[in-house]
Each structure stands twice: as C-alpha cells, then as structure tokens.
Amino acid sequence: MQVSGRSELGCSVMLPMDTVVFLYIPSSSPYFINLFGFCRSQETPFLEAPRPGAPLRPGAEPADCLLPQIRTLGYCCQLVGGVLVEQGPARADVGARLLAVSSQLSGCRTILRLFDDAAMFVYTKQYGLGAEEEDILVRCVSVLGNLADQLYYPCEHIAWAADAKILHVDSARWWVLSTAFWGLSLLLGIVRSLWVVLKLRQQLRSPAAAVTSQRSRSTRGAMEARIQSELMTLLSNLADLANAVHWLPPGFLWAGRFPPWLVGLLGTISSLLSVFQAARASGWADKAAS
C-alpha cells in the first residue's frame, strides 16, 4: 500500500516504499542544543543540533517552543508507521496513516523555517571568523558550518516555493542542494565534537590536571559534563547524517536504501537526545539562577 507524501525537504515521495518524511533542518557547526527551555535562542535560529549555552530569546514565540516536540512526534510516527506497514496488510492502513501524519508535521516545520533566515544571518554575522575561539580547528569548522547553514535556508525556500508553484524552477535540484548543505553542516559538527572531546580528555588526563587536583570539583565536573554533552551531540549528528545521506540521489553511498522505520528510528534517537540535552541544560540554568 502506498500513500503520497512529502518529505521535510519538500520532495514528493511515495509511502511506504521510499518514505522521505520529516527530514530536519541543518545544524550549525557546533551542533549543540539551542533548545534550552525548548525555545529558540536569540542568536541562533532553530537548529536541530544547536550550540550549548545559547541564551533564551526573551519573548520566544510559542511556535518556536513546540518545534522539538513536533520533530520528535513526527519521527516517532514514522518509526511506528514504518514498522506497522511491514507487518502485513492488516496493519498497513494504520501505518500509512501514521506516515502521512509524519509527512504533514514535516511540512509544518518546513513552513516555520521560512522565518529563520534573519536569525541565522544575525548569528553568522556576530560569530564572524570566530575570533573568540582559542582553537583554530574549532574556529574553522564553526565558520564553515555557519556558511553551510546560511546557504541551506534559501535552497530549501526555493525548493518549497517551486513545489508550491510559486516559482517555476525544478524543485528536485534545490532539494538535493539543501540536503547536501545539511549533510555538510552535520559532518563539520561531527568533526568539531570529536575534536572537543579529545581536547577535553587530554586536559583532564594531563599531568598538570593531576597535580592540581585541587582544581575545584565544580570545574572538573563541568568539563566532564561538557564531554557527555559533546558525545550525545556526536551521536545525534551521526544519526542525522545517516538520514541525510539516505535522502541524497540514489547511487551515493546508501542513498535511498533505508526503509521508513529505520529513518524514523534514527530520527527518534536524534530527537530524544536533543530533548534530553535541552532538559538537562534547563535544569542547570535553574540551579545557576537559584
């Protein structure tokens, strides 16, 4: 049984044979959670794997605060729907309905991202060439990630407008281009997370750190918590990168080979990790304020 659907990137697809639903937006280079309090930060647009420590935007719109829930719900629907579809005709109808729900939620988020260009531009401009970063690799990767994120948005908007018959261009080419920028952004984030984890572990194991175990427990605990956060970000980005490759044109690595349930599983893992990081960061913020 097949149902017509649309991916989060807007590509028309057929469900469940090659479901491409609820693909998330690109993550800027540090790929950390900017969903603290489940809202969008002032500097950064809603990015699925945002930066840690981004302050809350005063007066964030309610729709911004719902985006993590929308993403998680969409991927869960795709996971369950994909499993049901493969269990036989008796459950295929329910599965197809869940896949359709996932597709509609994905389209909702695509529309909401039409308003994120300005916020991304503001952040990219403020970050500049990363003069405040002490590590040259982190600086380079972050700048390139910001560029990839900035280019992602207009590509997706053009593809969406083409599918909506607003622009008379080939939407497929623009969907592929936006997916490529998203994948590049994720890959840069993975490199950054690996490098940061490596450097932090070196600092914790260095002779200087051993000598100064007088170093406050809070400082050491903060470094260990940062490593845990980076590792969760790394896992989240790896899951999303696997989906990003799947959504590229067939013939490139494993593009087009994932069944719907696997796409939903990877997306659900990524979403839950992001929500967990957001909740934990919100708890830290509350403790700091108290």
Side-chain angles (χ1 to χ4, degrees), residues 1 24 44 60 75 89 112 119 136 141 147 193 221 261 290:
M1 181 176 181
Y24 89 53
T44 21
Y75 272 126
L112 291 174
I136 185 63
V141 168
L147 179 61
S193 291
W261 68 264
S290 60

PDB file of all heavy atoms in Angstrom, residues 1 24 44 60 75 89 112 119 136 141 147 193 221 261 290:
ATOM      1  N   MET A   1       0.845  -1.195   0.000  1.00  0.00           N
ATOM      2  CA  MET A   1       0.000   0.000   0.000  1.00  0.00           C
ATOM      3  C   MET A   1       0.874   1.236   0.000  1.00  0.00           C
ATOM      4  O   MET A   1       1.811   1.322   0.772  1.00  0.00           O
ATOM      5  CB  MET A   1      -0.895   0.000   1.232  1.00  0.00           C
ATOM      6  CG  MET A   1      -1.832   1.189   1.316  1.00  0.00           C
ATOM      7  SD  MET A   1      -2.931   1.069   2.737  1.00  0.00           S
ATOM      8  CE  MET A   1      -3.884   2.555   2.503  1.00  0.00           C
ATOM      9  N   TYR A  24      15.102  16.777   9.020  1.00  0.00           N
ATOM     10  CA  TYR A  24      15.224  18.009   9.772  1.00  0.00           C
ATOM     11  C   TYR A  24      16.184  18.995   9.137  1.00  0.00           C
ATOM     12  O   TYR A  24      16.882  18.707   8.227  1.00  0.00           O
ATOM     13  CB  TYR A  24      15.556  17.717  11.231  1.00  0.00           C
ATOM     14  CG  TYR A  24      16.957  17.584  11.674  1.00  0.00           C
ATOM     15  CD1 TYR A  24      17.893  18.562  11.402  1.00  0.00           C
ATOM     16  CD2 TYR A  24      17.331  16.502  12.442  1.00  0.00           C
ATOM     17  CE1 TYR A  24      19.169  18.451  11.880  1.00  0.00           C
ATOM     18  CE2 TYR A  24      18.595  16.403  12.919  1.00  0.00           C
ATOM     19  CZ  TYR A  24      19.506  17.376  12.639  1.00  0.00           C
ATOM     20  OH  TYR A  24      20.766  17.301  13.128  1.00  0.00           O
ATOM     21  N   THR A  44      20.697  32.254  17.573  1.00  0.00           N
ATOM     22  CA  THR A  44      20.608  31.212  16.572  1.00  0.00           C
ATOM     23  C   THR A  44      19.184  30.917  16.194  1.00  0.00           C
ATOM     24  O   THR A  44      18.302  30.970  17.026  1.00  0.00           O
ATOM     25  CB  THR A  44      21.213  29.920  17.111  1.00  0.00           C
ATOM     26  OG1 THR A  44      21.225  29.980  18.507  1.00  0.00           O
ATOM     27  CG2 THR A  44      22.570  29.661  16.578  1.00  0.00           C
ATOM     28  N   ALA A  60      10.150  34.419  23.317  1.00  0.00           N
ATOM     29  CA  ALA A  60      10.159  33.486  22.188  1.00  0.00           C
ATOM     30  C   ALA A  60       8.733  33.106  21.831  1.00  0.00           C
ATOM     31  O   ALA A  60       7.862  32.969  22.682  1.00  0.00           O
ATOM     32  CB  ALA A  60      10.946  32.235  22.567  1.00  0.00           C
ATOM     33  N   TYR A  75       9.002  11.965  13.904  1.00  0.00           N
ATOM     34  CA  TYR A  75       9.869  10.794  13.721  1.00  0.00           C
ATOM     35  C   TYR A  75       9.283   9.559  14.402  1.00  0.00           C
ATOM     36  O   TYR A  75       9.419   8.441  13.900  1.00  0.00           O
ATOM     37  CB  TYR A  75      11.268  11.082  14.258  1.00  0.00           C
ATOM     38  CG  TYR A  75      12.182  11.715  13.247  1.00  0.00           C
ATOM     39  CD1 TYR A  75      12.845  12.907  13.519  1.00  0.00           C
ATOM     40  CD2 TYR A  75      12.395  11.116  12.005  1.00  0.00           C
ATOM     41  CE1 TYR A  75      13.694  13.482  12.590  1.00  0.00           C
ATOM     42  CE2 TYR A  75      13.245  11.689  11.077  1.00  0.00           C
ATOM     43  CZ  TYR A  75      13.888  12.874  11.378  1.00  0.00           C
ATOM     44  OH  TYR A  75      14.730  13.445  10.452  1.00  0.00           O
ATOM     45  N   PRO A  89      -0.822  -6.569   5.540  1.00  0.00           N
ATOM     46  CA  PRO A  89      -1.978  -5.754   5.138  1.00  0.00           C
ATOM     47  C   PRO A  89      -2.878  -5.359   6.294  1.00  0.00           C
ATOM     48  O   PRO A  89      -3.499  -4.296   6.252  1.00  0.00           O
ATOM     49  CB  PRO A  89      -2.726  -6.672   4.154  1.00  0.00           C
ATOM     50  CG  PRO A  89      -1.699  -7.667   3.705  1.00  0.00           C
ATOM     51  CD  PRO A  89      -0.775  -7.861   4.855  1.00  0.00           C
ATOM     52  N   LEU A 112       7.655  26.785   8.937  1.00  0.00           N
ATOM     53  CA  LEU A 112       8.180  27.601  10.034  1.00  0.00           C
ATOM     54  C   LEU A 112       9.612  28.047   9.767  1.00  0.00           C
ATOM     55  O   LEU A 112      10.026  29.126  10.201  1.00  0.00           O
ATOM     56  CB  LEU A 112       8.108  26.823  11.352  1.00  0.00           C
ATOM     57  CG  LEU A 112       6.708  26.557  11.902  1.00  0.00           C
ATOM     58  CD1 LEU A 112       6.778  25.663  13.130  1.00  0.00           C
ATOM     59  CD2 LEU A 112       6.000  27.869  12.233  1.00  0.00           C
ATOM     60  N   ALA A 119      17.476  35.237  11.597  1.00  0.00           N
ATOM     61  CA  ALA A 119      18.138  34.855  12.842  1.00  0.00           C
ATOM     62  C   ALA A 119      19.472  34.172  12.560  1.00  0.00           C
ATOM     63  O   ALA A 119      20.464  34.415  13.252  1.00  0.00           O
ATOM     64  CB  ALA A 119      17.230  33.927  13.650  1.00  0.00           C
ATOM     65  N   ILE A 136      42.072  26.808  16.699  1.00  0.00           N
ATOM     66  CA  ILE A 136      41.961  27.172  15.293  1.00  0.00           C
ATOM     67  C   ILE A 136      41.068  26.212  14.529  1.00  0.00           C
ATOM     68  O   ILE A 136      40.325  26.614  13.628  1.00  0.00           O
ATOM     69  CB  ILE A 136      43.364  27.237  14.640  1.00  0.00           C
ATOM     70  CG1 ILE A 136      43.258  27.745  13.206  1.00  0.00           C
ATOM     71  CG2 ILE A 136      44.046  25.887  14.712  1.00  0.00           C
ATOM     72  CD1 ILE A 136      42.735  29.147  13.074  1.00  0.00           C
ATOM     73  N   VAL A 141      36.059  25.108  11.560  1.00  0.00           N
ATOM     74  CA  VAL A 141      34.903  24.235  11.382  1.00  0.00           C
ATOM     75  C   VAL A 141      33.605  24.999  11.657  1.00  0.00           C
ATOM     76  O   VAL A 141      32.602  24.833  10.954  1.00  0.00           O
ATOM     77  CB  VAL A 141      35.023  23.000  12.301  1.00  0.00           C
ATOM     78  CG1 VAL A 141      33.714  22.238  12.365  1.00  0.00           C
ATOM     79  CG2 VAL A 141      36.126  22.080  11.802  1.00  0.00           C
ATOM     80  N   LEU A 147      28.430  28.878   7.371  1.00  0.00           N
ATOM     81  CA  LEU A 147      28.214  29.143   5.953  1.00  0.00           C
ATOM     82  C   LEU A 147      27.278  28.105   5.337  1.00  0.00           C
ATOM     83  O   LEU A 147      26.368  28.455   4.571  1.00  0.00           O
ATOM     84  CB  LEU A 147      29.557  29.144   5.229  1.00  0.00           C
ATOM     85  CG  LEU A 147      29.503  29.391   3.713  1.00  0.00           C
ATOM     86  CD1 LEU A 147      28.899  30.763   3.418  1.00  0.00           C
ATOM     87  CD2 LEU A 147      30.904  29.275   3.114  1.00  0.00           C
ATOM     88  N   SER A 193      32.825  18.041  17.339  1.00  0.00           N
ATOM     89  CA  SER A 193      32.555  17.338  18.591  1.00  0.00           C
ATOM     90  C   SER A 193      33.685  16.367  18.935  1.00  0.00           C
ATOM     91  O   SER A 193      34.115  16.280  20.094  1.00  0.00           O
ATOM     92  CB  SER A 193      31.221  16.587  18.494  1.00  0.00           C
ATOM     93  OG  SER A 193      30.136  17.483  18.446  1.00  0.00           O
ATOM     94  N   GLY A 221      33.875  18.808  37.214  1.00  0.00           N
ATOM     95  CA  GLY A 221      32.552  18.278  36.880  1.00  0.00           C
ATOM     96  C   GLY A 221      31.975  18.935  35.638  1.00  0.00           C
ATOM     97  O   GLY A 221      31.310  18.280  34.830  1.00  0.00           O
ATOM     98  N   TRP A 261      10.916   2.733   8.634  1.00  0.00           N
ATOM     99  CA  TRP A 261      11.079   2.556  10.077  1.00  0.00           C
ATOM    100  C   TRP A 261      12.497   2.901  10.539  1.00  0.00           C
ATOM    101  O   TRP A 261      12.682   3.424  11.637  1.00  0.00           O
ATOM    102  CB  TRP A 261      10.721   1.124  10.494  1.00  0.00           C
ATOM    103  CG  TRP A 261      11.666   0.072   9.997  1.00  0.00           C
ATOM    104  CD1 TRP A 261      11.523  -0.691   8.872  1.00  0.00           C
ATOM    105  CD2 TRP A 261      12.905  -0.330  10.601  1.00  0.00           C
ATOM    106  NE1 TRP A 261      12.587  -1.543   8.716  1.00  0.00           N
ATOM    107  CE2 TRP A 261      13.451  -1.349   9.772  1.00  0.00           C
ATOM    108  CE3 TRP A 261      13.608   0.060  11.735  1.00  0.00           C
ATOM    109  CZ2 TRP A 261      14.663  -1.975  10.056  1.00  0.00           C
ATOM    110  CZ3 TRP A 261      14.815  -0.550  12.025  1.00  0.00           C
ATOM    111  CH2 TRP A 261      15.331  -1.561  11.195  1.00  0.00           C
ATOM    112  N   SER A 290      19.269  29.787  41.013  1.00  0.00           N
ATOM    113  CA  SER A 290      18.836  29.687  42.404  1.00  0.00           C
ATOM    114  C   SER A 290      19.979  29.941  43.388  1.00  0.00           C
ATOM    115  O   SER A 290      21.130  29.991  43.027  1.00  0.00           O
ATOM    116  CB  SER A 290      18.240  28.310  42.664  1.00  0.00           C
ATOM    117  OG  SER A 290      19.214  27.306  42.418  1.00  0.00           O
TER     118      SER A 290
END
